Amino acid sequence: MGDTLKAAHRTMWASGDYPSLASEVIPDLGAALVRAAGVRAGERVLDIAAGSGNAAIAAALAGADVVASDLTPELLQAGRDDAARRGAKLEWKEADAEALPFGDGDFDTVLSCVGIMFAPRHQVSADEMVRVCRPGGTVGLLNWTPEGFIGQMFATMKPYAPPPPEGAQPPPLWGRPEHVEALLGDRVTDVRFEKRTVRVERFGKPEEFRDYFKARYGPTIAVYNRLAGDTEKVAALDLALTELARGHDVGTSSLVMEWEYLIATACRR
C-alpha cells in the first residue's frame, strides 16, 4: 500500500472527533481488553492503532510500561491530553501498523482495541503484531464482529463508499475467530475467543446516532463526503443508517443498542 493510501487514512481518522466518540460511546472497551489480556504492572505493552489511547491508557493505569502507536498524529495528541488529565504516564509514537518501528520480541503484551482491524492488509499487520511480541508473551485483540452493529454499519455504507484499494480487506473480518486464527497461524498457542456486547445508551433516538456518527466518525464522514452534492444518495444513506439503529434498538423510551465485539487472546510461541 502506497503513501497516498496511508495519507488518506490519516486524513479520515483526523476528521470529525473520534476521541470524543471513544470516550462517550465506548469508554470501557480498552479496559475490558486490558483485563482479558491479563496486563500486569511492570510489563512492557504496545497498543497498535491506539487512536487516542482507549486501551493504552487503561494499561498504563494498571502499572504497565506502555507505548501507544498510531498512524494519525491528531489522535495521539488527543491521547496525550487525556492521559495527562487522568494521571497516566506512557509513550506516544506515530507508527504504521503494517510497518512497526520496533524490534522483534520487544514487548511482553501487544494489544489492539478496534484499531488494527482498519489497517488494509490484515496479514501484514498481524505479522507485525506477532513479530514484536516476545516468546511467551500475550497478543490481545478486541474487534467489532461482522454480524454486530458496527459490522452491519459498514455493510450498510459499502454501496455508497468507493471500492477498496487492491489487496485491502474489510475491517470486520477481524471479528471472526476463524479469520484471526488464520492470521496468527501456528506462531501462537492457547488462542481464546469470547464474543461480548457493549451497551450503548448515548442516543435518544436513531436519528441522533446517525447525526453523531456523521459528525464524528471518520469512516462515516468519508462516505458522506464522497456523496456531497448527490442529495438522493445522501437521503438514502441517512435513511439506511437510521433504520439500522432502529432495528438494533432494545430499549423502550429511548434508543438502547447492544454492539457485539470479539475478544481474542493468544500466547506467542
Side-chain angles (χ1 to χ4, degrees):
M1 300 287 167
D3 292 341
T4 301
L5 178 61
K6 301 299 182 182
H9 271 239
R10 286 190 188 94
T11 299
M12 179 181 74
W13 288 107
S15 65
D17 189 355
Y18 183 74
S20 73
L21 186 155
S23 64
E24 294 172 3
V25 182
I26 51 170
D28 300 324
L29 285 195
L33 176 58
V34 167
R35 288 192 297 270
V39 172
R40 296 184 296 275
E43 286 188 335
R44 184 156 167 77
V45 174
L46 174 65
D47 184 5
I48 299 173
S52 51
N54 200 327
I57 293 174
L61 292 174
D65 176 14
V66 181
V67 178
S69 68
D70 198 273
L71 193 64
T72 305
E74 291 86 348
L75 297 184
L76 294 175
Q77 186 55 55
R80 288 187 189 95
D81 295 342
D82 188 30
R85 285 191 295 268
R86 297 170 63 181
K89 294 184 178 180
L90 62 157
E91 180 183 349
W92 302 84
K93 188 170 183 64
E94 187 176 337
D96 183 352
E98 296 184 351
L100 295 171
F102 308 110
D104 296 355
D106 269 359
F107 297 91
D108 300 303
T109 300
V110 184
L111 306 173
S112 189
C113 180
V114 295
I116 201 172
M117 65 184 293
F118 293 104
R121 296 180 297 177
H122 294 187
Q123 191 63 63
V124 175
S125 51
D127 290 349
E128 282 292 271
M129 184 175 209
V130 174
R131 179 184 67 80
V132 300
C133 184
R134 68 165 175 81
T138 300
V139 171
L141 293 154
L142 189 157
N143 295 305
W144 302 117
T145 66
E147 303 80 17
F149 180 81
I150 296 295
Q152 289 301 299
M153 186 183 77
F154 275 93
T156 299
M157 296 192 299
K158 184 177 179 180
Y160 304 92
E166 186 177 353
Q169 294 176 279
L173 283 179
W174 279 90
R176 286 187 174 156
E178 61 271 24
H179 186 66
V180 176
E181 281 188 311
L183 292 174
L184 299 179
D186 61 4
R187 298 167 298 179
V188 299
T189 61
D190 300 322
V191 184
R192 298 181 182 184
F193 296 105
E194 182 183 355
K195 287 186 178 180
R196 302 181 187 176
T197 61
V198 56
R199 193 172 183 87
V200 176
E201 303 178 86
R202 171 67 175 72
F203 312 105
K205 54 185 180 179
E207 291 81 4
E208 287 181 27
F209 151 78
R210 178 199 68 205
D211 293 343
Y212 185 96
F213 268 64
K214 282 175 69 172
R216 288 173 174 80
Y217 193 55
T220 306
I221 293 168
V223 173
Y224 273 98
N225 284 346
R226 183 173 184 259
L227 302 181
D230 191 330
T231 55
E232 187 174 316
K233 287 186 177 179
V234 168
L237 183 53
D238 276 350
L239 178 61
L241 289 176
T242 302
E243 291 305 309
L244 176 70
R246 197 184 316 279
H248 282 75
D249 185 10
V250 297
T252 51
S253 59
S254 64
L255 180 66
V256 179
M257 296 179 282
E258 299 281 352
W259 294 1
E260 186 181 70
Y261 61 89
L262 176 74
I263 286 186
T265 59
C267 178
R268 175 77 161 98
R269 281 190 189 274

